[in-house]
Amino acid sequence: MNPEIFKTVTPTLSFSHRPNVQEGVLGALQALENLSLDAKTPHQQDGLTFTTKFEPVTTLNGLILTVSVKSEKGAELSGPIELKYATDLKDMKMMSNGFQSWSQAREFDSKSRIQKIQSTIAWYTQFHLQGDYSFFEHSGDKGFIHSSSYTHFRDVKNNVTFLGSLAEESGYTYFKSDFNANALTIYKDATGKVLQPNQEIEIIKVLVLHGKDQERAFWDTYSSYFKDERTISGNENPKRHVSGWTSWYYHYDHVTEEIVHKNLDAIVHYKYPIDIFQIDDGYQLAIGDWLEVNNKFPGGMKELAAKIKSHGIMAGLWLAPYAVGFNSRIVKDHPEWILKEEHDSSKMVVAGPNWGGFYALDLYNDGARDYIRHVFDVVLNKWGFDMVKLDFLFAAAMIPQRGKSRGEIMTDAMEFLREVVGPNKIILGCGVPLGPSWRKVDYCRIGSDVAPWWEDTKLRLLHVRERVSTVNSLHSTLNRWGMSDSMFGNDPDVMILRSKNNKLKPDEKYTLCVLNNVLGALVFISDDVSEYTEEEHMLYAATFPKVQAKVNTVIEIRDEVYFVQFKATNAQGQEHFYTTYSNLSGDKETIYLPEATKDTHVLFATDNDLHTNKPDKKQALFYLPSAPVQLKGRESKTFLHIPAPGSGDVHLLGSTGHIVPGTELTNITRQDNDIKVDFVANRARASKVFVGLDDCRRKPEGSFTVNGKPAVWDIFNVSGSESGAKVYAAVVE
């Protein structure tokens, strides 16, 4: 799909509106469909003028498509605005980005379908309120795929066309594909938007980019069109990659002050160098009554924050600022702060089923805004928390109101939060449409909640895209990788490594651990590390220091089998190249390693087995390029690419102290015949490091020392098609 189609193909325009017949009086609804929108001349229809323009993108192959609408006498947009283009979608895969943080993101093809929650299930569970099911149609038909805010189309050769909305402030943008009819529609949820007389707005604005193997560049370019309001600013800020602890995924709302102390003391005792310690839901008296601390926290929140910070760890706290519980004091004392139904001002808007049900706070009510300001002043300045996790943010924009569309309201809501939190405190967004959050929050959840189980089969069959499920979360982690660092730091949710109260199997825990660390910027646990077994300590310790992966591409090479390629740079600027394969299916799968290049002479493998106290010594450590490798169901393996000979220098051949081999090192250098291996200060476990010279498949000539001791060259068999291949490595422990 070439960006030029948007210039050469004349789209059809469909929209509905109610024009002003006199000041303050709207006329009858007018619905117009399949009008021809010529890009060369403005289109006038019933007092509205639509104008199309194109801007070039100089850095990449692409353009910006903008469609403006101007109202002569004023009007209310009463439904979506749709631009439909004919284009060839044969053999394409389309990214389907879900509505908000928890909604699944995944590539689909012409045989796929996205189904809505059945009406009876929606009525009974109210799960539909967490997504866009009530205002955007999920047809459920084969070949009808949609995506929120952005999408891409990928062919079998990894030629990718990227489309990203630059105008979410005028309404949520969707991209709809009909694979059966080879049609692409740009859909704007403009319902409720009021245009004043002679007002003109950019109702659709889309960046279109095209290239091969350029996904990283696409996201860097896309992000450059958004103002960077993050506390941790810049796309390559090393401070963004952090680890931490949160109370939710073990203790949930049963957390107590005693539990917080116990877990903090355990983290400190075992010397895990985490960056953030965050208290989640369960400290407050009711949802919305954020400053009324319950009796499970008798010492108060100020003292807890101070204790956390005394260990050099940032203190974090969870809130849901736009959610108000049915039983909260706010509902009783300030019902005027609650969002009301548009046509029934006595009826409060229900925003979700959690905590027995909750209402939405009215963002535009002055009293409600003053209350939110006061809450954050206390939490951040008086209690002293450094970071806030802000959850269930979709509640701010449940319905259009005050002449604004849902997307416009959500944009206002995120701008307000950035304002009241201020420029020096960290925001972790959650349960939020991603587009309005870009470059406003420092971190953002990009998948559903994980769980101490792999999948919730019942909710999957009921088509709940926001379901709590480890594999559901991982699909989104694997498909939303591009927005990390460019838009915010991705929060893929926690690793669950413990044995207690956990149904995840060892390979499932390891896959969750590896993918979260490679593809995420913020990686938490909720485990009580004092309960860890020896092997659980080994695996958790192997995540320090937090790897700062620069991902190049992620591709689902077959159903539920993913290929991840990335680079990581150590403290001295040495760059290493890696490939991770993850099999999320329950079946065994055979994959084939990357072909030989100047960067790929041999590959070193690490997996869950290598992070146990009794690794299988029969399992190969080294592989030839293109070698077949079998993955068990739900298993992941990471391969370090060892470069081809020719540099004459010393090489890292592998290590056992980190899930991404070599991350525990600062440098490997050679001066004459002396090799020096330096380790990072904040590593958390012992490591065995394999070092080689130039062509590691030949035995080095002469005598060498490693860290001042005579080098002993171990010989390792290499798995692959070439008979008798060996690797010679000096081993440093």
Side-chain angles (χ1 to χ4, degrees):
M1 183 189 298
N2 194 298
E4 289 299 311
I5 70 160
F6 295 96
K7 287 183 175 181
T8 58
V9 174
T10 299
T12 59
L13 170 68
S14 300
F15 65 96
S16 59
H17 73 294
R18 297 175 65 195
N20 280 354
V21 293
Q22 62 185 58
E23 187 174 351
V25 180
L26 293 172
L29 177 67
Q30 299 185 28
L32 301 164
E33 296 184 352
N34 299 322
L35 306 173
S36 180
L37 184 62
D38 188 344
K40 296 178 182 179
T41 58
H43 181 95
Q44 295 181 332
Q45 192 82 35
D46 295 335
L48 296 180
T49 301
F50 291 87
T51 305
T52 304
K53 70 175 182 179
F54 301 96
E55 301 172 56
V57 176
T58 56
T59 56
L60 293 168
N61 176 22
L63 56 83
I64 296 174
L65 162 68
T66 303
V67 177
S68 300
V69 59
K70 183 176 181 179
S71 173
E72 181 183 346
K73 297 182 179 180
E76 179 186 87
L77 301 176
S78 303
I81 294 175
E82 300 188 68
L83 285 182
K84 187 175 182 180
Y85 294 84
T87 185
D88 186 7
L89 299 176
K90 184 180 179 182
D91 298 327
M92 292 282 191
K93 281 191 170 184
M94 177 186 177
M95 168 58 65
S96 173
N97 179 54
F99 170 63
Q100 54 111 327
S101 300
W102 312 330
S103 310
Q104 188 191 78
R106 194 174 177 185
E107 284 187 346
F108 292 122
D109 60 19
S110 61
K111 298 177 182 178
S112 306
R113 63 185 78 215
I114 300 176
Q115 295 178 301
K116 66 179 179 181
I117 302 175
Q118 297 176 11
S119 57
T120 53
I121 300 301
W123 174 83
Y124 180 73
T125 65
Q126 300 286 286
F127 284 155
H128 68 291
L129 296 174
Q130 299 177 349
D132 54 4
Y133 307 95
S134 62
F135 64 87
F136 184 87
E137 181 183 7
H138 295 56
S139 74
D141 294 332
K142 186 171 69 173
F144 285 82
I145 306 301
H146 66 265
S147 186
S148 176
S149 296
Y150 80 97
T151 189
H152 68 238
F153 294 87
R154 185 197 307 273
D155 69 13
V156 293
K157 296 182 179 180
N158 205 34
N159 294 300
V160 176
T161 300
F162 177 94
L163 297 94
S165 171
L166 298 174
E168 293 301 86
E169 70 277 3
S170 63
Y172 294 134
T173 305
Y174 288 83
F175 301 92
K176 304 196 310 180
S177 287
D178 179 353
F179 280 83
N180 307 300
N182 281 312
L184 168 65
T185 299
I186 302 175
Y187 174 110
K188 172 67 69 168
D189 172 37
T191 301
K193 176 61 181 175
V194 171
L195 297 174
Q196 301 301 322
N198 295 313
Q199 181 184 7
E200 183 175 15
I201 64 170
E202 294 178 339
I203 194 69
I204 289 173
K205 190 172 186 178
V206 175
L207 173 69
V208 186
L209 301 170
H210 180 78
K212 180 179 173 62
D213 301 327
Q214 288 188 292
E215 296 101 311
R216 177 77 273 158
F218 291 166
W219 278 98
D220 286 341
T221 299
Y222 186 33
S223 69
S224 69
Y225 290 91
F226 297 85
K227 182 182 178 182
D228 195 347
E229 301 179 65
R230 300 170 291 181
T231 297
I232 307 172
S233 60
N235 284 12
E236 297 188 16
N237 191 330
K239 294 180 180 179
R240 183 174 294 115
H241 286 258
V242 296
S243 59
W245 184 91
T246 177
S247 59
W248 182 252
Y249 294 90
Y250 196 174
H251 305 288
Y252 301 97
D253 58 359
H254 302 299
V255 65
T256 65
E257 184 178 297
E258 181 181 359
I259 287 172
V260 169
H261 283 299
K262 180 176 184 290
N263 280 268
L264 177 62
D265 291 345
I267 290 284
V268 172
H269 172 76
Y270 286 99
K271 299 181 180 179
Y272 286 122
I274 69 169
D275 303 284
I276 301 172
F277 190 95
Q278 182 243 315
I279 302 166
D280 213 279
D281 181 12
Y283 67 90
Q284 73 288 344
L285 203 58
I287 298 300
D289 300 333
W290 305 113
L291 303 182
E292 297 184 41
V293 179
N294 62 44
N295 58 15
K296 295 186 297 176
F297 289 79
M301 307 310 289
K302 182 177 181 178
E303 287 71 15
L304 269 184
K307 180 177 178 180
I308 294 167
K309 294 164 74 169
S310 71
H311 295 290
I313 301 171
M314 288 185 284
L317 190 67
W318 175 92
L319 304 95
Y322 297 125
V324 183
F326 287 175
N327 62 346
S328 67
R329 186 184 297 276
I330 285 180
V331 171
K332 298 182 182 72
D333 294 350
H334 295 285
E336 72 278 9
W337 293 358
I338 309 302
L339 183 63
K340 310 299 191 304
E341 294 285 356
E342 183 180 9
H343 301 297
D344 186 354
S345 60
S346 66
K347 189 174 182 181
M348 298 179 181
V349 173
V350 176
N354 308 69
W355 312 287
F358 66 96
Y359 299 120
L361 201 69
D362 186 350
L363 170 66
Y364 301 108
N365 180 280
D366 290 339
R369 292 171 75 89
D370 289 343
Y371 172 68
I372 292 176
R373 283 194 182 93
H374 176 61
V375 166
F376 282 109
D377 179 53
V378 171
V379 168
L380 298 172
N381 300 320
K382 294 189 171 76
W383 290 354
F385 284 90
D386 306 292
M387 176 270 252
V388 282
K389 176 183 175 182
L390 306 182
D391 209 347
F392 292 84
L393 298 180
F394 63 83
M398 297 301 293
I399 59 172
Q401 60 156 323
R402 304 183 189 229
K404 296 174 181 282
S405 67
R406 294 178 185 86
E408 187 174 4
I409 296 167
M410 196 69 245
T411 300
D412 288 348
M414 297 311 297
E415 289 178 349
F416 179 60
L417 290 178
R418 184 73 268 179
E419 174 198 330
V420 297
V421 171
N424 300 317
K425 300 287 187 173
I426 294 170
I427 298 176
L428 164 58
C430 190
V432 61
L434 300 179
S437 307
W438 282 333
R439 300 195 123 197
K440 293 185 179 72
V441 298
D442 300 282
Y443 300 98
C444 193
R445 173 76 68 74
I446 45 80
S448 66
D449 280 21
V450 302
W453 58 78
W454 187 249
E455 175 62 295
D456 188 322
T457 304
K458 183 193 300 183
L459 292 185
R460 177 177 62 83
L461 294 174
L462 294 174
H463 317 305
V464 180
R465 300 182 78 189
E466 295 77 22
R467 65 187 179 276
V468 175
S469 154
T470 295
V471 69
N472 189 44
S473 180
L474 286 174
H475 278 299
S476 294
T477 298
L478 284 154
N479 282 286
R480 285 174 168 160
W481 64 271
M483 52 188 75
S484 192
D485 288 319
S486 57
M487 294 299 192
F488 40 56
N490 278 11
D491 169 19
D493 211 10
V494 302
M495 309 179 287
I496 305 178
L497 307 183
R498 64 182 184 266
S499 301
K500 189 176 179 180
N501 297 329
N502 187 9
K503 296 179 181 179
L504 292 175
K505 298 174 183 177
D507 282 325
E508 294 169 345
K509 290 191 284 187
Y510 185 77
T511 289
L512 179 63
C513 173
V514 168
L515 293 180
N516 282 11
N517 276 278
V518 169
L519 300 174
L522 178 149
V523 182
F524 280 177
I525 62 166
S526 286
D527 302 340
D528 183 341
V529 298
S530 70
E531 298 176 350
Y532 272 176
T533 65
E534 179 185 354
E535 291 189 344
E536 288 159 2
H537 274 296
M538 288 179 69
L539 180 54
Y540 185 45
T543 66
F544 295 99
K546 167 71 178 69
V547 64
Q548 297 180 34
K550 188 165 186 177
V551 182
N552 298 321
T553 191
V554 178
I555 300 175
E556 190 172 3
I557 55 178
R558 66 185 77 123
D559 191 34
E560 294 202 297
V561 181
Y562 287 87
F563 161 92
V564 181
Q565 283 202 326
F566 64 99
K567 295 179 180 179
T569 304
N570 66 22
Q572 298 300 317
Q574 290 180 330
E575 188 174 71
H576 300 294
F577 184 35
Y578 304 86
T579 299
T580 294
Y581 292 89
S582 286
N583 177 17
L584 304 189
S585 79
D587 301 320
K588 292 181 180 179
E589 295 282 352
T590 299
I591 53 94
Y592 292 86
L593 296 180
E595 297 177 349
T597 66
K598 64 180 180 65
D599 296 319
T600 309
H601 181 50
V602 182
L603 298 104
F604 174 85
T606 184
D607 58 16
N608 182 52
D609 183 72
L610 205 60
H611 298 285
T612 62
N613 50 22
K614 293 182 179 179
D616 183 0
K617 294 184 178 179
K618 295 180 181 179
Q619 186 170 293
L621 289 176
F622 296 95
Y623 290 81
L624 291 174
S626 302
V629 177
Q630 189 173 83
L631 294 178
K632 295 177 290 184
R634 297 164 188 171
E635 182 183 25
S636 293
K637 288 180 180 286
T638 296
F639 295 87
L640 166 67
H641 293 237
I642 300 165
S647 66
D649 208 347
V650 64
H651 294 302
L652 169 69
L653 301 184
S655 69
T656 65
H658 201 282
I659 57 172
V660 178
T663 305
E664 73 273 41
L665 308 178
T666 57
N667 215 354
I668 299 179
T669 55
R670 174 187 174 186
Q671 186 172 3
D672 298 326
N673 283 14
D674 183 50
I675 299 168
K676 187 176 182 183
V677 180
D678 295 316
F679 293 85
V680 298
N682 63 334
R683 71 189 191 282
R685 61 168 276 191
S687 182
K688 182 184 291 185
V689 181
F690 304 93
V691 180
L693 292 176
D694 198 24
D695 186 353
C696 61
R697 291 167 60 183
R698 295 183 180 182
K699 185 176 181 179
E701 298 180 357
S703 299
F704 292 85
T705 60
V706 180
N707 287 357
K709 297 180 180 179
V712 177
W713 300 98
D714 286 357
I715 305 173
F716 298 88
N717 291 325
V718 182
S719 180
S721 58
E722 187 178 322
S723 176
K726 307 288 184 184
V727 158
Y728 294 85
V731 181
V732 181
E733 295 194 53

